[in-house]
Amino acid sequence: LAPSIMEPVNAKVVYRTRGLLEDLYGDFTFQQFTAVKRRMVAILAALLMGLANVVLASGWARRSLVRWGVLPKPGEGPSKEIRETGFMNEFLYGQVQDEEGASGAVVWVKGRGGDPGYKLTSAMSLHTALCLSKKEEHKGEIHMLGGVLTPAASMGDLLWKTMPQTGVSFELIEDIGKVQVFKPKP
C-alpha cells in the first residue's frame, strides 16, 4: 500500500462526520492508502509525495514548474476524453470489536462515467445539493439541518440510496475474503 494524496483532505471530513455522529460510531481511526502491486512502487510513491510536498511548498518552484509545462496552469485540467471515461474504485474496510469478537466488512465504492477528480466529484456535490434542496420531500431522511455539517451526517442514508443516479454506487461486502483489489493473473 502506498500513501494516498487524498488522505489529508478526506480525513478532515471523516473525523468531522464522526464528531457529529459520535453516539452512532464511537471511536475509530481512519487511514487511506493507494493500492499498488509492488512494495517498491509504494516506497517510490511515498518518496515522490514527500518530495512533491517540499517542492510545491515553495512558490518559486511551483511557478517554475507551471512555466515549464510540468504542472498545469490554473484552469487547465484533464482532456475531455479523460473526464468522460474516467472511473474510480474505492474499497473501504471496516472492523468492529464487540462482546462477540471482531467482525468486518468492506464497502466497494464504484464510480463510472467520469473522472473522479472532476466529473464525478461535481456530480456528487450537485446531487447532494439537490437532495438538500428537497428537504420537504425527503422528511425523515435529512437530519441535523443546521450548523457546519458533512453530507454523511446530514443525509447519509439518503445519499447511499440515491447516489447511483450520479454514476457512483456502493456495494456492501460482508465477507472480506471475497474482495480482490487486483485480479489474479491467468
Side-chain angles (χ1 to χ4, degrees), residues 61-87:
R62 198 172 44 253
R63 285 188 300 277
S64 297
L65 291 172
V66 169
R67 188 173 38 249
W68 298 331
V70 175
L71 293 177
K73 294 177 184 168
E76 290 182 346
S79 68
K80 182 174 181 165
E81 179 185 359
I82 291 173
R83 288 192 315 264
E84 295 298 323
T85 61
F87 65 94

PDB file of all heavy atoms in Angstrom, residues 61-87:
ATOM      1  N   ALA A  61       9.324  27.477  -6.838  1.00  0.00           N
ATOM      2  CA  ALA A  61       9.390  26.175  -7.513  1.00  0.00           C
ATOM      3  C   ALA A  61       8.068  25.866  -8.208  1.00  0.00           C
ATOM      4  O   ALA A  61       8.049  25.387  -9.347  1.00  0.00           O
ATOM      5  CB  ALA A  61       9.734  25.078  -6.510  1.00  0.00           C
ATOM      6  N   ARG A  62       6.960  26.161  -7.560  1.00  0.00           N
ATOM      7  CA  ARG A  62       5.642  25.897  -8.142  1.00  0.00           C
ATOM      8  C   ARG A  62       5.444  26.724  -9.416  1.00  0.00           C
ATOM      9  O   ARG A  62       5.012  26.208 -10.447  1.00  0.00           O
ATOM     10  CB  ARG A  62       4.566  26.208  -7.103  1.00  0.00           C
ATOM     11  CG  ARG A  62       3.232  25.614  -7.382  1.00  0.00           C
ATOM     12  CD  ARG A  62       2.226  25.784  -6.243  1.00  0.00           C
ATOM     13  NE  ARG A  62       2.209  27.098  -5.639  1.00  0.00           N
ATOM     14  CZ  ARG A  62       2.703  27.398  -4.434  1.00  0.00           C
ATOM     15  NH1 ARG A  62       3.266  26.465  -3.704  1.00  0.00           N
ATOM     16  NH2 ARG A  62       2.648  28.624  -3.957  1.00  0.00           N
ATOM     17  N   ARG A  63       5.777  28.014  -9.361  1.00  0.00           N
ATOM     18  CA  ARG A  63       5.626  28.876 -10.541  1.00  0.00           C
ATOM     19  C   ARG A  63       6.531  28.403 -11.677  1.00  0.00           C
ATOM     20  O   ARG A  63       6.142  28.412 -12.843  1.00  0.00           O
ATOM     21  CB  ARG A  63       5.925  30.326 -10.177  1.00  0.00           C
ATOM     22  CG  ARG A  63       4.808  31.003  -9.386  1.00  0.00           C
ATOM     23  CD  ARG A  63       5.056  32.493  -9.208  1.00  0.00           C
ATOM     24  NE  ARG A  63       6.296  32.793  -8.494  1.00  0.00           N
ATOM     25  CZ  ARG A  63       6.437  32.803  -7.165  1.00  0.00           C
ATOM     26  NH1 ARG A  63       5.396  32.515  -6.404  1.00  0.00           N
ATOM     27  NH2 ARG A  63       7.596  33.092  -6.615  1.00  0.00           N
ATOM     28  N   SER A  64       7.734  27.981 -11.341  1.00  0.00           N
ATOM     29  CA  SER A  64       8.662  27.485 -12.363  1.00  0.00           C
ATOM     30  C   SER A  64       8.122  26.224 -13.034  1.00  0.00           C
ATOM     31  O   SER A  64       8.205  26.079 -14.258  1.00  0.00           O
ATOM     32  CB  SER A  64      10.037  27.186 -11.754  1.00  0.00           C
ATOM     33  OG  SER A  64      10.607  28.376 -11.263  1.00  0.00           O
ATOM     34  N   LEU A  65       7.569  25.307 -12.246  1.00  0.00           N
ATOM     35  CA  LEU A  65       7.023  24.072 -12.813  1.00  0.00           C
ATOM     36  C   LEU A  65       5.826  24.351 -13.728  1.00  0.00           C
ATOM     37  O   LEU A  65       5.646  23.678 -14.744  1.00  0.00           O
ATOM     38  CB  LEU A  65       6.650  23.094 -11.701  1.00  0.00           C
ATOM     39  CG  LEU A  65       7.829  22.501 -10.927  1.00  0.00           C
ATOM     40  CD1 LEU A  65       7.334  21.705  -9.728  1.00  0.00           C
ATOM     41  CD2 LEU A  65       8.694  21.639 -11.821  1.00  0.00           C
ATOM     42  N   VAL A  66       5.037  25.365 -13.397  1.00  0.00           N
ATOM     43  CA  VAL A  66       3.921  25.754 -14.266  1.00  0.00           C
ATOM     44  C   VAL A  66       4.479  26.372 -15.545  1.00  0.00           C
ATOM     45  O   VAL A  66       4.045  26.034 -16.655  1.00  0.00           O
ATOM     46  CB  VAL A  66       2.970  26.738 -13.550  1.00  0.00           C
ATOM     47  CG1 VAL A  66       1.972  27.356 -14.528  1.00  0.00           C
ATOM     48  CG2 VAL A  66       2.232  26.037 -12.411  1.00  0.00           C
ATOM     49  N   ARG A  67       5.452  27.253 -15.423  1.00  0.00           N
ATOM     50  CA  ARG A  67       6.042  27.922 -16.581  1.00  0.00           C
ATOM     51  C   ARG A  67       6.685  26.919 -17.536  1.00  0.00           C
ATOM     52  O   ARG A  67       6.596  27.053 -18.749  1.00  0.00           O
ATOM     53  CB  ARG A  67       7.064  28.962 -16.108  1.00  0.00           C
ATOM     54  CG  ARG A  67       7.603  29.840 -17.207  1.00  0.00           C
ATOM     55  CD  ARG A  67       8.494  31.000 -16.740  1.00  0.00           C
ATOM     56  NE  ARG A  67       9.361  30.683 -15.628  1.00  0.00           N
ATOM     57  CZ  ARG A  67       9.230  31.184 -14.374  1.00  0.00           C
ATOM     58  NH1 ARG A  67       8.267  32.036 -14.115  1.00  0.00           N
ATOM     59  NH2 ARG A  67      10.055  30.842 -13.414  1.00  0.00           N
ATOM     60  N   TRP A  68       7.321  25.883 -17.020  1.00  0.00           N
ATOM     61  CA  TRP A  68       7.996  24.868 -17.840  1.00  0.00           C
ATOM     62  C   TRP A  68       7.028  23.820 -18.378  1.00  0.00           C
ATOM     63  O   TRP A  68       7.427  22.909 -19.101  1.00  0.00           O
ATOM     64  CB  TRP A  68       9.107  24.178 -17.057  1.00  0.00           C
ATOM     65  CG  TRP A  68      10.210  25.098 -16.618  1.00  0.00           C
ATOM     66  CD1 TRP A  68      10.642  26.238 -17.226  1.00  0.00           C
ATOM     67  CD2 TRP A  68      11.012  24.953 -15.447  1.00  0.00           C
ATOM     68  NE1 TRP A  68      11.661  26.822 -16.523  1.00  0.00           N
ATOM     69  CE2 TRP A  68      11.915  26.041 -15.411  1.00  0.00           C
ATOM     70  CE3 TRP A  68      11.051  24.018 -14.420  1.00  0.00           C
ATOM     71  CZ2 TRP A  68      12.840  26.208 -14.398  1.00  0.00           C
ATOM     72  CZ3 TRP A  68      11.994  24.185 -13.425  1.00  0.00           C
ATOM     73  CH2 TRP A  68      12.870  25.267 -13.410  1.00  0.00           C
ATOM     74  N   GLY A  69       5.746  23.885 -17.995  1.00  0.00           N
ATOM     75  CA  GLY A  69       4.758  22.953 -18.502  1.00  0.00           C
ATOM     76  C   GLY A  69       4.691  21.631 -17.750  1.00  0.00           C
ATOM     77  O   GLY A  69       3.998  20.703 -18.180  1.00  0.00           O
ATOM     78  N   VAL A  70       5.405  21.529 -16.613  1.00  0.00           N
ATOM     79  CA  VAL A  70       5.370  20.299 -15.809  1.00  0.00           C
ATOM     80  C   VAL A  70       4.046  20.205 -15.062  1.00  0.00           C
ATOM     81  O   VAL A  70       3.453  19.135 -14.961  1.00  0.00           O
ATOM     82  CB  VAL A  70       6.569  20.254 -14.831  1.00  0.00           C
ATOM     83  CG1 VAL A  70       6.476  19.041 -13.919  1.00  0.00           C
ATOM     84  CG2 VAL A  70       7.885  20.264 -15.597  1.00  0.00           C
ATOM     85  N   LEU A  71       3.585  21.328 -14.536  1.00  0.00           N
ATOM     86  CA  LEU A  71       2.290  21.404 -13.848  1.00  0.00           C
ATOM     87  C   LEU A  71       1.310  22.181 -14.723  1.00  0.00           C
ATOM     88  O   LEU A  71       1.719  23.071 -15.471  1.00  0.00           O
ATOM     89  CB  LEU A  71       2.432  22.117 -12.505  1.00  0.00           C
ATOM     90  CG  LEU A  71       3.237  21.406 -11.427  1.00  0.00           C
ATOM     91  CD1 LEU A  71       3.342  22.281 -10.192  1.00  0.00           C
ATOM     92  CD2 LEU A  71       2.597  20.071 -11.070  1.00  0.00           C
ATOM     93  N   PRO A  72       0.012  21.868 -14.629  1.00  0.00           N
ATOM     94  CA  PRO A  72      -0.969  22.613 -15.429  1.00  0.00           C
ATOM     95  C   PRO A  72      -1.133  24.034 -14.924  1.00  0.00           C
ATOM     96  O   PRO A  72      -0.948  24.315 -13.745  1.00  0.00           O
ATOM     97  CB  PRO A  72      -2.258  21.810 -15.238  1.00  0.00           C
ATOM     98  CG  PRO A  72      -2.080  21.080 -13.961  1.00  0.00           C
ATOM     99  CD  PRO A  72      -0.604  20.829 -13.818  1.00  0.00           C
ATOM    100  N   LYS A  73      -1.485  24.926 -15.848  1.00  0.00           N
ATOM    101  CA  LYS A  73      -1.790  26.299 -15.481  1.00  0.00           C
ATOM    102  C   LYS A  73      -3.172  26.327 -14.826  1.00  0.00           C
ATOM    103  O   LYS A  73      -3.985  25.429 -15.052  1.00  0.00           O
ATOM    104  CB  LYS A  73      -1.801  27.179 -16.732  1.00  0.00           C
ATOM    105  CG  LYS A  73      -0.449  27.319 -17.382  1.00  0.00           C
ATOM    106  CD  LYS A  73      -0.537  28.136 -18.644  1.00  0.00           C
ATOM    107  CE  LYS A  73       0.838  28.161 -19.304  1.00  0.00           C
ATOM    108  NZ  LYS A  73       0.794  28.674 -20.657  1.00  0.00           N
ATOM    109  N   PRO A  74      -3.451  27.340 -14.020  1.00  0.00           N
ATOM    110  CA  PRO A  74      -4.791  27.445 -13.436  1.00  0.00           C
ATOM    111  C   PRO A  74      -5.852  27.398 -14.533  1.00  0.00           C
ATOM    112  O   PRO A  74      -5.717  28.053 -15.563  1.00  0.00           O
ATOM    113  CB  PRO A  74      -4.770  28.810 -12.738  1.00  0.00           C
ATOM    114  CG  PRO A  74      -3.324  29.045 -12.431  1.00  0.00           C
ATOM    115  CD  PRO A  74      -2.569  28.421 -13.583  1.00  0.00           C
ATOM    116  N   GLY A  75      -6.880  26.599 -14.329  1.00  0.00           N
ATOM    117  CA  GLY A  75      -7.952  26.455 -15.318  1.00  0.00           C
ATOM    118  C   GLY A  75      -7.739  25.308 -16.275  1.00  0.00           C
ATOM    119  O   GLY A  75      -8.665  24.891 -16.969  1.00  0.00           O
ATOM    120  N   GLU A  76      -6.518  24.783 -16.351  1.00  0.00           N
ATOM    121  CA  GLU A  76      -6.262  23.614 -17.196  1.00  0.00           C
ATOM    122  C   GLU A  76      -6.599  22.360 -16.401  1.00  0.00           C
ATOM    123  O   GLU A  76      -6.513  22.331 -15.191  1.00  0.00           O
ATOM    124  CB  GLU A  76      -4.793  23.552 -17.616  1.00  0.00           C
ATOM    125  CG  GLU A  76      -4.377  24.608 -18.593  1.00  0.00           C
ATOM    126  CD  GLU A  76      -2.918  24.457 -19.007  1.00  0.00           C
ATOM    127  OE1 GLU A  76      -2.157  23.725 -18.360  1.00  0.00           O
ATOM    128  OE2 GLU A  76      -2.557  25.106 -19.985  1.00  0.00           O
ATOM    129  N   GLY A  77      -6.936  21.340 -17.085  1.00  0.00           N
ATOM    130  CA  GLY A  77      -7.234  20.082 -16.419  1.00  0.00           C
ATOM    131  C   GLY A  77      -7.114  18.946 -17.399  1.00  0.00           C
ATOM    132  O   GLY A  77      -6.553  19.101 -18.479  1.00  0.00           O
ATOM    133  N   PRO A  78      -7.674  17.809 -17.038  1.00  0.00           N
ATOM    134  CA  PRO A  78      -7.587  16.672 -17.945  1.00  0.00           C
ATOM    135  C   PRO A  78      -8.396  16.909 -19.223  1.00  0.00           C
ATOM    136  O   PRO A  78      -9.310  17.729 -19.248  1.00  0.00           O
ATOM    137  CB  PRO A  78      -8.176  15.515 -17.134  1.00  0.00           C
ATOM    138  CG  PRO A  78      -8.959  16.136 -16.052  1.00  0.00           C
ATOM    139  CD  PRO A  78      -8.374  17.483 -15.807  1.00  0.00           C
ATOM    140  N   SER A  79      -8.062  16.155 -20.262  1.00  0.00           N
ATOM    141  CA  SER A  79      -8.760  16.277 -21.539  1.00  0.00           C
ATOM    142  C   SER A  79     -10.213  15.839 -21.385  1.00  0.00           C
ATOM    143  O   SER A  79     -10.587  15.160 -20.427  1.00  0.00           O
ATOM    144  CB  SER A  79      -8.082  15.391 -22.595  1.00  0.00           C
ATOM    145  OG  SER A  79      -8.275  14.018 -22.266  1.00  0.00           O
ATOM    146  N   LYS A  80     -11.031  16.198 -22.368  1.00  0.00           N
ATOM    147  CA  LYS A  80     -12.441  15.804 -22.347  1.00  0.00           C
ATOM    148  C   LYS A  80     -12.564  14.286 -22.335  1.00  0.00           C
ATOM    149  O   LYS A  80     -13.413  13.733 -21.631  1.00  0.00           O
ATOM    150  CB  LYS A  80     -13.182  16.391 -23.544  1.00  0.00           C
ATOM    151  CG  LYS A  80     -14.641  16.047 -23.535  1.00  0.00           C
ATOM    152  CD  LYS A  80     -15.421  16.734 -24.629  1.00  0.00           C
ATOM    153  CE  LYS A  80     -16.868  16.312 -24.480  1.00  0.00           C
ATOM    154  NZ  LYS A  80     -17.782  17.107 -25.195  1.00  0.00           N
ATOM    155  N   GLU A  81     -11.716  13.588 -23.085  1.00  0.00           N
ATOM    156  CA  GLU A  81     -11.765  12.126 -23.126  1.00  0.00           C
ATOM    157  C   GLU A  81     -11.529  11.533 -21.735  1.00  0.00           C
ATOM    158  O   GLU A  81     -12.263  10.649 -21.298  1.00  0.00           O
ATOM    159  CB  GLU A  81     -10.725  11.573 -24.100  1.00  0.00           C
ATOM    160  CG  GLU A  81     -10.720  10.067 -24.153  1.00  0.00           C
ATOM    161  CD  GLU A  81      -9.610   9.489 -25.016  1.00  0.00           C
ATOM    162  OE1 GLU A  81      -8.829  10.261 -25.596  1.00  0.00           O
ATOM    163  OE2 GLU A  81      -9.537   8.263 -25.087  1.00  0.00           O
ATOM    164  N   ILE A  82     -10.531  12.037 -21.024  1.00  0.00           N
ATOM    165  CA  ILE A  82     -10.248  11.537 -19.675  1.00  0.00           C
ATOM    166  C   ILE A  82     -11.397  11.871 -18.727  1.00  0.00           C
ATOM    167  O   ILE A  82     -11.811  11.040 -17.921  1.00  0.00           O
ATOM    168  CB  ILE A  82      -8.908  12.086 -19.156  1.00  0.00           C
ATOM    169  CG1 ILE A  82      -7.767  11.457 -19.946  1.00  0.00           C
ATOM    170  CG2 ILE A  82      -8.743  11.836 -17.664  1.00  0.00           C
ATOM    171  CD1 ILE A  82      -6.404  12.040 -19.634  1.00  0.00           C
ATOM    172  N   ARG A  83     -11.928  13.089 -18.845  1.00  0.00           N
ATOM    173  CA  ARG A  83     -13.049  13.467 -17.977  1.00  0.00           C
ATOM    174  C   ARG A  83     -14.267  12.583 -18.211  1.00  0.00           C
ATOM    175  O   ARG A  83     -15.005  12.273 -17.281  1.00  0.00           O
ATOM    176  CB  ARG A  83     -13.423  14.939 -18.203  1.00  0.00           C
ATOM    177  CG  ARG A  83     -12.426  15.918 -17.662  1.00  0.00           C
ATOM    178  CD  ARG A  83     -12.960  17.344 -17.632  1.00  0.00           C
ATOM    179  NE  ARG A  83     -13.655  17.754 -18.822  1.00  0.00           N
ATOM    180  CZ  ARG A  83     -13.130  18.423 -19.842  1.00  0.00           C
ATOM    181  NH1 ARG A  83     -11.857  18.733 -19.828  1.00  0.00           N
ATOM    182  NH2 ARG A  83     -13.864  18.775 -20.879  1.00  0.00           N
ATOM    183  N   GLU A  84     -14.501  12.156 -19.446  1.00  0.00           N
ATOM    184  CA  GLU A  84     -15.680  11.359 -19.775  1.00  0.00           C
ATOM    185  C   GLU A  84     -15.500   9.865 -19.503  1.00  0.00           C
ATOM    186  O   GLU A  84     -16.472   9.175 -19.233  1.00  0.00           O
ATOM    187  CB  GLU A  84     -16.070  11.564 -21.246  1.00  0.00           C
ATOM    188  CG  GLU A  84     -16.505  12.975 -21.574  1.00  0.00           C
ATOM    189  CD  GLU A  84     -17.745  13.417 -20.826  1.00  0.00           C
ATOM    190  OE1 GLU A  84     -18.658  12.597 -20.620  1.00  0.00           O
ATOM    191  OE2 GLU A  84     -17.804  14.600 -20.436  1.00  0.00           O
ATOM    192  N   THR A  85     -14.272   9.362 -19.599  1.00  0.00           N
ATOM    193  CA  THR A  85     -14.064   7.912 -19.490  1.00  0.00           C
ATOM    194  C   THR A  85     -13.421   7.484 -18.177  1.00  0.00           C
ATOM    195  O   THR A  85     -13.181   6.299 -17.970  1.00  0.00           O
ATOM    196  CB  THR A  85     -13.185   7.405 -20.652  1.00  0.00           C
ATOM    197  OG1 THR A  85     -11.909   8.054 -20.582  1.00  0.00           O
ATOM    198  CG2 THR A  85     -13.840   7.669 -21.991  1.00  0.00           C
ATOM    199  N   GLY A  86     -13.147   8.421 -17.303  1.00  0.00           N
ATOM    200  CA  GLY A  86     -12.506   8.082 -16.037  1.00  0.00           C
ATOM    201  C   GLY A  86     -13.406   7.237 -15.148  1.00  0.00           C
ATOM    202  O   GLY A  86     -14.600   7.070 -15.404  1.00  0.00           O
ATOM    203  N   PHE A  87     -12.827   6.702 -14.097  1.00  0.00           N
ATOM    204  CA  PHE A  87     -13.578   5.871 -13.158  1.00  0.00           C
ATOM    205  C   PHE A  87     -12.837   5.846 -11.832  1.00  0.00           C
ATOM    206  O   PHE A  87     -11.704   6.313 -11.733  1.00  0.00           O
ATOM    207  CB  PHE A  87     -13.755   4.446 -13.695  1.00  0.00           C
ATOM    208  CG  PHE A  87     -12.456   3.705 -13.816  1.00  0.00           C
ATOM    209  CD1 PHE A  87     -12.007   2.893 -12.792  1.00  0.00           C
ATOM    210  CD2 PHE A  87     -11.675   3.833 -14.949  1.00  0.00           C
ATOM    211  CE1 PHE A  87     -10.796   2.225 -12.891  1.00  0.00           C
ATOM    212  CE2 PHE A  87     -10.472   3.159 -15.068  1.00  0.00           C
ATOM    213  CZ  PHE A  87     -10.029   2.360 -14.035  1.00  0.00           C
TER     214      PHE A  87
END
